[in-house]
Amino acid sequence: GAVVSQHPSRVICKSGTSVKIECRSLDFQATTMFWYRQFPKQSLMLMATSNEGSKATYEQGVEKDKFLINHASLTLSTLTVTSAHPEDSSFYICSARAGTSGRYEQYFGPGTRLTVT
Amino acid sequence: TQLLEQSPQFLSIQEGENLTVYCNSSSVFSSLQWYRQEPGEGPVLLVTVVTGGEVKKLKRLTFQFGDARKDSSLHITAAQTGDTGLYLCAGPTSTTDSWGKLQFGAGTQVVVTP
């Protein structure tokens, strides 16, 4: 089956610093990748959709200058949380899809736990 | 955005009992998916239902899509401790979205005790 990895799995950073999270599709080419965040005991909230080689599309209420997304290749997307604050502490999950149509299944990564102190 | 409401929010049962989780909406969905998520991990797809009235079985799990494609249910027979997890339903964010963006219900936390 298709495998999506995330790195790091956990990260602790100080307030005001930036942190980068990587999402990789290991055995398929992902034309589209999605980034979600999940707070404790809550569901996944879609943050943005990224397609290889083009700018990401952000959901309403998500600051694009704070959450920088780069989908530089068909197997790698990165999410950079800039000037992180404690309220950015969350579980960040990516998913990847082989095709651009909604008919293609999304495969989820294992998530990255970000803690901002 | 078409909202997905899940019930109950939390369910605690003993091993061997049956349980049902519901996912409801006032909108029609072209498809619905069910995922299970364990703590500290990403969600894992269990099933996709696409046809109104469809019933799919995955071992002890039975998934049903409502005739009107506005609701779905997940029934677990003879639950085991390994069934413990957060069960999420998900569907397309809108009928016009071409990227296949998903929206998730709030989830049902299922705890199966020995």
Side-chain angles (χ1 to χ4, degrees):
Chain A
V3 179
V4 175
S5 70
Q6 283 185 239
H7 179 79
S9 57
R10 291 176 177 271
V11 58
I12 301 173
C13 70
K14 291 188 176 180
S15 189
T17 62
S18 297
V19 61
K20 180 184 288 188
I21 302 169
E22 293 185 348
C23 176
R24 294 181 184 272
S25 56
L26 299 185
D27 50 4
F28 68 100
Q29 292 187 324
T31 55
T32 305
M33 287 185 170
F34 302 89
W35 286 95
Y36 299 81
R37 63 189 300 183
Q38 184 178 31
F39 291 108
K41 299 189 186 303
Q42 293 187 24
S43 189
L44 282 73
M45 296 297 294
L46 180 65
M47 297 175 66
T49 303
S50 76
N51 293 288
E52 186 264 338
S54 61
K55 287 185 179 180
T57 303
Y58 292 81
E59 295 299 303
Q60 193 172 10
V62 178
E63 301 173 59
K64 62 181 181 181
D65 294 330
K66 181 168 186 62
F67 298 100
L68 301 179
I69 293 172
N70 184 8
H71 193 159
S73 77
L74 285 172
T75 59
L76 173 65
S77 176
T78 60
L79 166 67
T80 301
V81 183
T82 62
S83 187
H85 288 94
E87 58 265 31
D88 298 323
S89 297
S90 187
F91 193 51
Y92 291 87
I93 305 172
C94 73
S95 70
R97 197 177 65 211
T100 55
S101 165
R103 291 182 290 108
Y104 290 86
E105 180 179 336
Q106 287 186 37
Y107 298 96
F108 286 81
T112 296
R113 173 76 58 194
L114 169 63
T115 303
V116 184
T117 61
Chain B
T1 301
Q2 310 168 95
L3 294 177
L4 288 166
E5 296 183 353
Q6 285 189 242
S7 61
Q9 286 184 311
F10 181 82
L11 199 52
S12 179
I13 61 171
Q14 288 192 314
E15 217 170 14
E17 294 181 335
N18 302 333
L19 67 99
T20 302
V21 176
Y22 300 92
C23 177
N24 296 296
S25 175
S26 58
S27 303
V28 175
F29 281 85
S30 57
S31 64
L32 281 178
Q33 297 180 323
W34 284 94
Y35 292 82
R36 180 169 64 215
Q37 184 182 24
E38 301 195 22
E41 297 182 12
V44 175
L45 179 66
L46 297 174
V47 78
T48 300
V49 287
V50 297
T51 306
E54 182 177 9
V55 176
K56 282 192 173 179
K57 292 194 174 185
L58 184 65
K59 296 183 180 178
R60 293 174 296 98
L61 278 60
T62 302
F63 304 86
Q64 188 162 8
F65 200 14
D67 291 340
R69 290 186 287 129
K70 292 184 178 181
D71 55 87
S72 181
S73 64
L74 157 60
H75 182 79
I76 301 179
T77 303
Q80 300 177 355
T81 55
D83 296 325
T84 293
L86 179 67
Y87 288 82
L88 297 156
C89 68
T93 55
S94 76
T95 56
T96 57
D97 172 56
S98 60
W99 297 114
K101 295 190 292 186
L102 287 177
Q103 59 172 313
F104 285 81
T108 295
Q109 180 63 53
V110 172
V111 175
V112 183
T113 56

